[in-house]
Amino acid sequence: MGAYILRRLLLMIPTIVGIMAISFIVVQFAPGGPVEQVISDLTSQGGGDRLSGGGDMLQDFSQDASSGYRGARGLDPEFIAKLEQQFGFDKPPLERFLTMMGNYIRFDFGESFFRNTSVVDLIVEKMPVSISLGVWILVLSYAISIPLGIKKAVSDGSPFDMWTSAIIVVGYAVPSFLFGILLIVVFAGGSFFDWFPLRGIVSDDFWQLPWWQKPLDYLWHMTLPLITLLLSAFATTTLLTKNSFIDEIKKQYVVTARAKGLTERQVLYGHVFRNAMLIIIAGFPGAFISAFFTGSLLIEYIFSLDGLGRLGYDAVVRRDYPIVFATLYIFSLMGLVVSLISDLIYTWVDPRIDFERRDV
C-alpha cells in the first residue's frame, strides 16, 4: 500500500500542472482581461483624461491602432504599458506560468488585482461560510440518505418505498435555487412569514450574545440554506444507496448467509453493507468538492452568503486571475487528495481490494 500511495502522490504533480496549464492557456484567449477591465472602467467613468495626461488625448482616436485593447481609445500607450506591467502581462506567457506555478508550490498566491488584499486572506475570510455549508450538507445528507436508502432497499415495493420515492423524485427534479426562492417567499419575509433571516451565517451582534444563544443564532441563519441544498443532495445519495443494496441482496452470498441461519440484520450489516457502500464511497470526493464550491454558488447568492463559491464567481466575472487560479489550484489539489483518501477507505471497507496488484 505504501508504494501505491507514493505513486498516487507523484501522479498528482503532472495532474495539477496539466489542469493549471490548460486553464492558463484558455485564459490567454479569453477576451476582457484585467487590463481591459481597468480601461473599460476608466473610459466609462470619464477618468481617462485625468490619468492619461490631458483631455486632448481622449480625442486622439489614432491611438486605437497602436493599442491591442478595444475601448482604449485616447489612453496614453505608456499608461497602458504600466497597467500591463502592474498585472504582469509585460512578460511572455510561459514565463508567467512558470513563475505562477513556482509560487503556488510554496502556497504563495499573491494579491488580488482589484481588492488590494492577499488571496490567502480572502480565502480565509470566506472559508467559514463554505465550511458551514459543506460540512453540514455532507453530514446531514449521508446521515439521512444511507439509513433511508437501506430501509427502501429492504422494503422494496412497499407503500413506504413508493411514497418516499415520489418525494425524492420531486425533490431531485426541483432546482435547488428555485426551492430556495420558494423558502424565502414563504418563510423569510417574502409574502407569508418572517421567521428566518436572509443574510449571513450569524447576526451582526453575534459576539455580544450570551454563549447559549450563539449556536441558536447560527442554526437560525443556516436553516433555509441547508434545507435548500439538502433537498437534492440527499435525493441522489438515497437512490444510489437503495439501488446498490438491492443489487447486493440478490447475490448468491446473501442466500448462503441466510441459509447458515444468520439473522437479517447480521446479513445486511455484516455482509451486504461492505459491498454496497463501495459505490457510495466512490462518489464521496465529488460530493466533497461540490459541497464546498460549485454546489453552493447559487445558494450563496440567493441567501446573500459571502463564501468561496461567490468569491470564485466574482473573480471570474471581474477577471481577477490570482483568485481564479488560486481557487482552481486549491480545489484541484483537494480533489486529488480526497480521491486518494477514498481509495484508502475502499481498502478499509473491503480488505479484499488490493491496489498494489493493479496498474496505476
Side-chain angles (χ1 to χ4, degrees):
M1 182 57 67
Y4 172 77
I5 295 175
L6 180 60
R7 289 198 300 269
R8 286 292 298 272
L9 292 174
L10 293 176
L11 278 174
M12 288 182 186
I13 298 174
T15 302
I16 196 73
V17 172
I19 293 173
M20 298 301 295
I22 293 173
S23 303
F24 187 85
I25 292 173
V26 170
V27 163
Q28 304 310 304
F29 295 98
V35 177
E36 288 182 310
Q37 292 280 337
V38 174
I39 291 173
S40 176
D41 290 344
L42 291 175
T43 54
S44 64
Q45 295 173 7
D49 55 341
R50 295 190 300 271
L51 294 174
S52 60
D56 294 339
M57 193 69 72
L58 287 173
Q59 306 300 325
D60 187 6
F61 297 102
S62 63
Q63 296 288 351
D64 288 345
S66 62
S67 174
Y69 301 102
R70 278 192 269 174
R73 61 177 56 179
L75 291 181
D76 191 346
E78 294 183 2
F79 174 71
I80 296 176
K82 290 181 179 178
L83 280 179
E84 292 178 338
Q85 183 178 8
Q86 177 182 350
F87 291 123
F89 291 104
D90 58 327
K91 301 176 181 177
L94 180 59
E95 182 180 349
R96 285 189 279 124
F97 177 74
L98 293 177
T99 301
M100 180 185 72
M101 292 305 300
N103 292 333
Y104 283 11
I105 291 175
R106 304 190 305 270
F107 290 93
D108 178 10
F109 301 112
E111 292 191 357
S112 166
F113 281 162
F114 302 105
R115 296 178 183 241
N116 294 323
T117 307
S118 71
V119 175
V120 173
D121 290 342
L122 285 172
I123 292 176
V124 171
E125 179 185 346
K126 313 300 181 184
M127 190 70 76
V129 173
S130 296
I131 289 178
S132 296
L133 291 174
V135 170
W136 277 113
I137 287 301
L138 282 176
V139 171
L140 292 176
S141 64
Y142 276 79
I144 295 173
S145 302
I146 293 176
L148 180 59
I150 295 174
K151 176 63 177 177
K152 286 174 62 62
V154 173
S155 58
D156 185 36
S158 66
F160 171 82
D161 179 46
M162 290 186 290
W163 278 107
T164 53
S165 293
I167 296 173
I168 289 171
V169 170
V170 172
Y172 184 77
V174 176
S176 58
F177 73 91
L178 187 61
F179 185 66
I181 294 173
L182 175 64
L183 292 179
I184 290 174
V185 171
V186 177
F187 298 109
S191 300
F192 297 93
F193 306 103
D194 190 8
W195 291 350
F196 297 96
L198 275 177
R199 186 178 184 84
I201 60 174
V202 293
S203 301
D204 294 336
D205 60 344
F206 177 78
W207 298 109
Q208 283 72 46
L209 295 175
W211 66 268
W212 58 271
Q213 286 188 6
K214 290 182 179 179
L216 297 177
D217 180 78
Y218 169 75
L219 294 175
W220 181 48
H221 283 75
M222 294 297 296
T223 298
L224 295 186
L226 288 178
I227 292 175
T228 304
L229 286 171
L230 191 62
L231 183 69
S232 59
F234 97 92
T236 304
T237 311
T238 299
L239 294 178
L240 189 62
T241 303
K242 175 192 173 183
N243 294 332
S244 179
F245 269 80
I246 288 178
D247 290 341
E248 292 297 324
I249 289 173
K250 295 178 180 179
K251 292 184 178 179
Q252 184 62 39
Y253 73 88
V254 176
V255 177
T256 303
R258 287 171 176 168
K260 290 181 178 180
L262 298 180
T263 65
E264 193 66 22
R265 185 177 183 85
Q266 289 175 325
V267 172
L268 193 62
Y269 292 99
H271 294 77
V272 177
F273 185 81
R274 285 186 176 182
N275 297 324
M277 286 302 296
L278 289 177
I279 192 171
I280 309 299
I281 295 172
F284 179 79
F288 182 86
I289 299 300
S290 176
F292 272 86
F293 187 62
T294 56
S296 61
L297 172 58
L298 290 175
I299 305 306
E300 288 180 12
Y301 263 97
I302 292 172
F303 292 98
S304 299
L305 301 175
D306 197 7
L308 290 177
R310 189 169 182 175
L311 174 67
Y313 175 77
D314 290 340
V316 171
V317 173
R318 187 63 176 167
R319 303 297 193 271
D320 200 340
Y321 292 147
I323 297 178
V324 173
F325 286 120
T327 52
L328 175 65
Y329 180 84
I330 291 172
F331 282 101
S332 298
L333 189 60
M334 287 175 59
L336 294 172
V337 172
V338 172
S339 178
L340 174 59
I341 294 174
S342 69
D343 286 347
L344 299 179
I345 296 176
Y346 263 126
T347 61
W348 175 70
V349 174
D350 189 351
R352 295 172 299 175
I353 297 177
D354 186 3
F355 290 106
E356 291 285 0
R357 299 178 182 178
R358 301 181 60 183
D359 294 331
V360 180

